[in-house]
Amino acid sequence: KVVSSHSEVIAASGMGVTEGTKKIGGALRSGGDTMKKQLLNLGYSFEEQAGLVADTMQQMRGAGGPLKATDAEVAAQTQRYAENLRTISAITGEDAKKKMDQVRQQANQLAFQQKLAGMDEGQRKGVLNAMANMSDMERKNFMDMVNFGTVINKEGAAA
């Protein structure tokens, strides 16, 4: 269940599902009981903990390449990320995870815009004309392909 609900995030970290699942497990093992207890104390279930690791892996991904961090580095960063989410939620009263998802979507759109800006005028017009004939889902899938080399959104991957 964890893998299926976070496949988009795993793909965005530059890994396939098998590799990403191993990395999540490795980071959770590396963090040990201390990390699991800390995250439980912050109110995160075991499933949510795996999701936090997947989110962290995506955030730690290098520009244009796959995740290169060690399991221990991912575990340590996951703990900081979880603490920050709870702090933000406590201060703002808003769901910090939803906010992070919105920011991630905006960053993906910006990355696509930057790739468009790097094209000559003819290429850019061709892409924009093609996108004008696409459905919303096709546009989102196309943007994912340009940004990540694969479709990472759940809805588009299922289509």
Side-chain angles (χ1 to χ4, degrees), residues 8 23 28 35 41 44 69 71 93 110 115-116 143 147:
E8 179 177 340
K23 190 71 167 176
L28 288 170
M35 177 175 137
N41 288 340
Y44 294 106
D71 292 345
L110 177 62
K115 291 191 183 202
L116 276 180
M143 289 172 63
N147 287 338

Side-chain angles (χ1 to χ4, degrees), residues 12-15 60-68:
S13 69
M15 298 181 185
M60 294 179 76
R61 176 186 182 189
L67 175 71
K68 298 204 187 306

Side-chain angles (χ1 to χ4, degrees), residues 25 29 45 50 61 97 134 151:
R29 277 189 302 280
S45 69
R61 176 186 182 189
K97 190 141 174 55
M134 295 178 188
V151 175

